[in-house]
Amino acid sequence: MDATERGHAANYNEDEARLASLGYKQNMKRQFTGLQNFGFTLTNASVLIGIVPLFGFGMATGGPVVAVWGWLIVAFFVMFIGLGMAEICSTYPTAGGLYFWTAKLGGPKWGPMFSWYEAWFNMLGQVAGCSGSVLAAATFLNTLISVWDKDYVPVGKHNFAVMAALMLTAGIINTAGGRALKIASLTSVFIHIVGTLVIVITVLAGAPKLQSPKFVFTEFRDYTGYTQNSNASPVLVFLLGLLQSQWSMLGYDASAHMSEETEKSYVNGPRGILMSILASFLIGLGLALSLTFGIQDYEQTRNSDSAASQIFLDCAGKVGGSILIFIIVFAGFLCGVATVAANSRMFYAFARDGGLPFSSYWTVLNKRTLMPLRLVWLSVIVIIILALPAIGSEATLSAISGISIIGFTVSYAIPILLRITVGASTFVQHEFNLGRYSKPIGWVACIWTAFIFCIFNMPQKWPVEDPSEFNFTPAAVGFLLVFTTLTWFLSARHWFKGPVSEIALAELDGKIPVDVPKNDSDSD
């Protein structure tokens, strides 16, 4: 018997009932389809604004082998993380996403503490990812201006100013409401798919010469100083270069954060996670291959202000190259729009449970849009602040990328680890499940996360001779660890209990859909 036969609107009441079973009322408007959810997630991941801006970084840390083989390796392990997340999302489709999952899977003993760390690490990944993406878009926009105005020499303060303007615009679009976000989501899907095809075809067809397959698949370059100034193996340089690919494979948790506004979230949530990873893999592989084949002069390209922009101009000329650069700018801006939406939902879920200072103020929904607009603008402000080092540091983008990677992947791994350990006996698999493969898939995801946590906290050059080359990822991550640990043991452990139930399932309309499987949260 489907929901319509029970006298309820087919998708809405099923979703509302499941949300109620997890302890929450349907406060936000459920208005997005599965395709629009996928659009948000693909935009949040935004391979165009990931692999392209850091292409020059990859040229210096391994070269072509990192761009191609690094992409394949990262995509392989990221799919393990995505599978683990998708299974949990099917059971717990809430705006809190990984934070809520962690609390439930950790149980009364471990749930509150782990969900405290989870929330802060996920928020760090969210804001750092958005800050880096929009900063990259701003850098490309300034590059585009300099192409047409030779007297214009963009520096860090210009990039920051443009980034701030783009973020304020993203905040305005989020404030406009659901219709504006739907248009942005569908536009983003078009830009990421069609824009990628345009870039790949234009670069390959317009290149004066194409590099040989041997160069693309076997050439190794090191400009980090590790192999020249230490006894480090080229393997270490290759691993450092994985940052380019790993940063492009983040943000797919947006599907979970938008689940309370998505129809059939228990199906479309997991689907959005996995479809975005698959789409990102295909888009990224096409970009990595075309950009590497399209390199004309390696040294000139690597030493230019933007390696990818130089390839675009070399292969498509001034006008054609400018169009390709603008595609990257637009993709980065749309990424900012989608990420602010996801950020604010995560903030909302955490504040709803009393996790943020002045939570009662932040959780007020706008009467017109039924969206957490106060948290939208909090997100915008924090994201802009995080980009302030761009004014004086050359390593800002790669450092913010490292911060984002660690924030995101740690927050992805925590609920997966709990799912296969302390939560294994109580977790109830729903529509999407991995069956007996849950544990091996989960362990691979956690081991990969621990590995890249170590790699991306390392200096990106050796020796570090100038403050502008300093990788401030360890400082930011270290500060967050100290902050979350101190606040937990000195204060939060006494009052923070994780997700707070707003509603009992029986309150929902007086009726409970018969096909909603009972899960462990019903007895909380």
Side-chain angles (χ1 to χ4, degrees):
M1 180 184 295
D2 64 21
T4 303
E5 291 172 333
R6 288 191 296 270
H8 298 272
N11 296 334
Y12 180 80
N13 283 293
E14 181 80 2
D15 283 307
E16 191 176 61
R18 295 197 181 212
L19 184 61
S21 74
L22 299 175
Y24 293 118
K25 298 177 182 179
Q26 184 67 56
N27 292 320
M28 291 186 285
K29 186 177 180 181
R30 200 173 289 273
Q31 57 187 318
F32 302 123
T33 65
L35 177 61
Q36 289 162 344
N37 180 286
F38 165 68
F40 280 119
T41 312
L42 182 64
T43 307
N44 209 38
S46 191
V47 178
L48 277 173
I49 203 64
I51 198 170
V52 175
L54 286 179
F55 191 76
F57 176 86
M59 291 181 70
T61 50
V65 294
V66 165
V68 179
W69 294 110
W71 182 256
L72 295 173
I73 291 171
V74 168
F76 175 78
F77 286 106
V78 164
M79 184 54 76
F80 283 87
I81 298 175
L83 287 168
M85 289 172 58
E87 181 180 52
I88 303 172
C89 183
S90 184
T91 298
Y92 303 128
T94 72
L98 301 100
Y99 151 72
F100 183 92
W101 307 348
T102 299
K104 290 301 178 184
L105 293 167
K109 181 178 181 179
W110 299 106
M113 183 182 74
F114 275 103
S115 62
W116 180 257
Y117 281 88
E118 170 66 39
W120 286 104
F121 267 92
N122 189 247
M123 288 189 291
L124 175 68
Q126 291 273 2
V127 297
C130 186
S131 185
S133 297
V134 182
L135 179 61
T139 303
F140 270 76
L141 183 56
N142 275 320
T143 299
L144 180 58
I145 296 172
S146 67
V147 168
W148 292 90
D149 182 359
K150 296 301 180 182
D151 295 328
Y152 181 70
V153 181
V155 293
K157 62 181 181 181
H158 297 140
N159 293 333
F160 175 77
V162 174
M163 181 269 186
L166 291 174
M167 281 308 309
L168 291 173
T169 307
I172 292 171
I173 291 176
N174 272 268
T175 303
R179 182 176 177 82
L181 287 178
K182 289 177 184 178
I183 294 172
S185 172
L186 295 177
T187 302
S188 177
V189 173
F190 177 83
I191 288 295
H192 279 80
I193 296 175
V194 177
T196 298
L197 290 174
V198 170
I199 290 173
V200 170
I201 293 171
T202 302
V203 169
L204 294 179
K209 67 178 178 69
L210 292 175
Q211 295 290 344
S212 67
K214 180 180 179 181
F215 173 86
V216 171
F217 293 103
T218 65
E219 184 72 13
F220 174 84
R221 300 285 181 96
D222 174 25
Y223 296 89
T224 65
Y226 271 102
T227 57
Q228 298 93 337
N229 302 317
S230 70
N231 294 323
S233 166
V235 175
L236 174 61
V237 178
F238 177 88
L239 295 176
L240 289 173
L242 294 180
L243 183 143
Q244 174 193 7
S245 298
Q246 185 66 63
W247 190 46
S248 305
M249 283 282 193
L250 296 172
Y252 35 90
D253 59 315
S255 181
H257 294 307
M258 301 303 293
S259 62
E260 288 185 31
E261 299 165 82
T262 302
E263 300 168 356
K264 289 189 176 180
S265 55
Y266 46 90
V267 173
N268 287 323
R271 186 178 294 164
I273 292 172
L274 298 178
M275 284 179 61
S276 67
I277 294 175
L278 179 59
S280 295
F281 165 69
L282 296 174
I283 291 171
L285 183 60
L287 289 169
L289 288 171
S290 62
L291 288 172
T292 308
F293 272 111
I295 296 172
Q296 300 303 298
D297 184 311
Y298 200 96
E299 293 302 319
Q300 179 188 9
T301 301
R302 187 185 69 82
N303 291 319
S304 64
D305 292 334
S306 170
S309 296
Q310 186 64 52
I311 295 171
F312 293 159
L313 295 169
D314 289 342
C315 296
K318 186 175 181 179
V319 175
S322 296
I323 293 173
L324 300 186
I325 293 172
F326 182 74
I327 290 175
I328 304 301
V329 174
F330 196 32
F333 169 68
L334 291 172
C335 178
V337 174
T339 308
V340 167
N343 289 353
S344 61
R345 274 56 173 184
M346 173 59 203
F347 286 177
Y348 174 76
F350 194 40
R352 179 171 60 184
D353 299 326
L356 290 180
F358 311 108
S359 289
S360 61
Y361 173 81
W362 297 118
T363 53
V364 174
L365 297 178
N366 180 267
K367 293 181 179 179
R368 175 179 59 85
T369 63
L370 294 181
M371 292 180 177
L373 297 188
R374 293 178 180 179
L375 289 167
V376 164
W377 287 102
L378 176 64
S379 300
V380 169
I381 292 170
V382 173
I383 288 164
I384 292 174
I385 291 173
L386 193 59
L388 277 170
I391 296 175
S393 175
E394 297 176 2
T396 300
L397 181 57
S398 57
I400 290 178
S401 304
I403 294 170
S404 177
I405 289 171
I406 290 173
F408 268 124
T409 53
V410 168
S411 70
Y412 294 168
I414 289 175
I416 294 175
L417 178 63
L418 294 176
R419 157 71 184 92
I420 58 178
T421 53
V422 298
S425 60
T426 57
F427 181 77
V428 178
Q429 295 175 322
H430 281 207
E431 280 77 4
F432 180 88
N433 68 82
L434 302 174
R436 60 181 179 175
Y437 298 106
S438 288
K439 285 193 175 182
I441 288 174
W443 280 117
V444 172
C446 292
I447 292 170
W448 173 252
T449 299
F451 174 71
I452 62 176
F453 181 94
C454 298
I455 292 296
F456 297 145
N457 270 302
M458 295 182 63
Q460 295 165 350
K461 290 185 177 181
W462 191 262
V464 179
E465 299 176 329
D466 189 278
S468 66
E469 298 175 345
F470 178 70
N471 176 13
F472 58 85
T473 299
V477 174
F479 172 80
L480 182 66
L481 277 172
V482 171
F483 170 80
T484 51
T485 301
L486 288 178
T487 52
W488 173 256
F489 284 102
L490 295 179
S491 176
R493 69 188 179 94
H494 299 296
W495 52 266
F496 182 74
K497 304 303 179 184
V500 178
S501 178
E502 289 184 334
I503 187 174
L505 181 59
E507 290 180 53
L508 179 69
D509 203 24
K511 298 184 180 180
I512 303 174
V514 295
D515 59 346
V516 177
K518 186 179 186 297
N519 60 60
D520 61 294
S521 67
D522 292 337
S523 59
D524 287 353

